[in-house]
Amino acid sequence: MAERRPRVLVFDSGAGGLSVAACIHRALPGAELVYLADNAGFPYGDKPGGVVIARCCSLIRQCLVQFPCDVVVVACNTASTVVLPELRAMTDVPVVGVVPAVKPAAARSGNRRIGLLATPATIKRPYLDELIQEFARDCQVVRLGHPALVRWAEELVAGQAPDQALMDEALAPLKEAGVDTVVLGCTHYPLLLPWLRKGLPDVRHWVESGEAIARRVGYWLEQAGTLGVAQTPMADAGPVVACACFSGGAPADLPLFMAEMGIAVDQVADGWPGVTATGSV
């Protein structure tokens, strides 16, 4: 009898967690993924913590009923800062959160000047001060919380590319500071990398959290005895993501966008937990 494929739930407030899902798939090609986006509540940064906790816990609870999973990934920096204790108390399924990759960025920077791109909400979180104090005390860390970056990433998934001139303008403080390393402190930002690289051509290292999250997922699957299956590519070239569930309307071109990222989706449901199928590949 073939071993059961492990299943991983990736949750985000929007489409940014797709970058994390892609990292997980590259590291664990035999795992099945479920994607859950609370885009009806997007963005989380301007909402009270209690509202974020209630929305996350309710949606993840319902998703686990429909799609039992072996690991839950909260691929949203804002949600990870407030929801993890309540979520871990709610379920026995291991929960993996995300934090900006300050530690690996400090290890890679040559000139000790680091740019930290994050949402305006994340930039102000005390835990970011703690990360910098612990891992990058000897570095000049330039924080940039530009409000448009997440919106540009969401629009990209919907088929509208960012304006490079506006991107260059947004990144000007990091260019002026001469940073050689940039932390992508929001899971939306890896989707914008082609435009970010053009705006900051002298940056040597772009550091995101996806690979670290994938390693943590692998740890929990190893504890469950299913890591070997997760690391073994599937024999067929079927969909990687069983379902992409959006609490609001799903982007019309989402299946194509996900396929181009290497994480083809079987079904897309918008207005979730309704059952409106809007596309499949």
Side-chain angles (χ1 to χ4, degrees):
M1 180 182 296
E3 292 184 80
R4 181 183 66 83
R5 287 176 61 195
R7 183 187 284 158
V8 179
L9 172 61
V10 180
F11 171 83
D12 188 28
S13 60
L18 293 174
S19 67
V20 174
C23 283
I24 293 172
H25 175 61
R26 287 194 293 269
L28 304 166
E32 182 179 68
L33 305 180
V34 173
Y35 191 77
L36 174 60
D38 184 20
N39 62 331
F42 176 87
Y44 276 175
D46 59 4
K47 290 181 170 54
V51 172
V52 174
I53 291 169
R55 293 189 69 92
C56 292
C57 288
S58 175
L59 286 168
I60 291 172
R61 181 187 296 111
Q62 293 177 81
C63 198
L64 289 174
V65 171
Q66 185 173 348
F67 301 100
C69 291
D70 300 276
V71 182
V72 172
V73 174
V74 179
C76 173
N77 289 82
T78 301
S80 290
T81 62
V82 296
V83 76
L84 296 185
E86 287 79 1
L87 194 54
R88 286 170 174 149
M90 181 192 84
T91 179
D92 292 332
V93 179
V95 177
V96 177
V98 57
V99 296
V102 172
K103 182 178 180 180
R108 296 183 191 182
S109 176
N111 67 7
R112 315 314 289 158
R113 293 197 291 272
I114 296 171
L116 201 158
L117 275 179
T119 64
T122 296
I123 286 293
K124 300 173 185 176
R125 302 283 184 186
Y127 86 104
L128 192 54
D129 297 328
E130 296 167 5
L131 284 174
I132 293 170
Q133 181 66 19
E134 183 173 359
F135 299 116
R137 189 182 308 177
D138 65 329
C139 298
Q140 176 191 357
V141 179
V142 182
R143 309 187 199 193
L144 181 57
H146 197 284
L149 287 169
V150 169
R151 175 170 53 81
W152 291 339
E154 291 286 320
E155 290 173 351
L156 176 63
V157 177
Q160 180 180 339
D163 183 302
Q164 186 65 54
L166 292 177
M167 181 72 73
D168 294 349
E169 182 181 342
L171 297 174
L174 300 188
K175 190 168 188 177
E176 292 168 4
V179 301
D180 74 344
T181 302
V182 174
V183 177
L184 300 177
C186 172
T187 55
H188 280 78
Y189 296 169
L191 302 179
L192 299 171
L193 257 177
W195 293 270
L196 294 172
R197 290 183 189 277
K198 287 180 182 177
L200 294 171
D202 294 330
V203 169
R204 296 184 58 201
H205 308 290
W206 296 89
V207 188
E208 57 184 285
S209 303
E211 292 181 1
I213 293 172
R215 287 193 295 271
R216 192 62 179 167
V217 171
Y219 165 82
W220 284 114
L221 295 182
E222 183 177 30
Q223 300 307 299
T226 58
L227 180 59
V229 177
Q231 290 175 329
T232 304
M234 293 180 290
D236 59 57
V240 174
V241 180
C243 191
C245 307
F246 282 71
S247 62
D253 292 333
L254 182 71
L256 177 60
F257 189 87
M258 293 179 68
E260 290 175 344
M261 291 185 71
I263 48 173
V265 60
D266 186 27
Q267 292 186 337
V268 176
D270 59 10
W272 195 89
V275 291
T276 304
T278 61
S280 59
V281 293

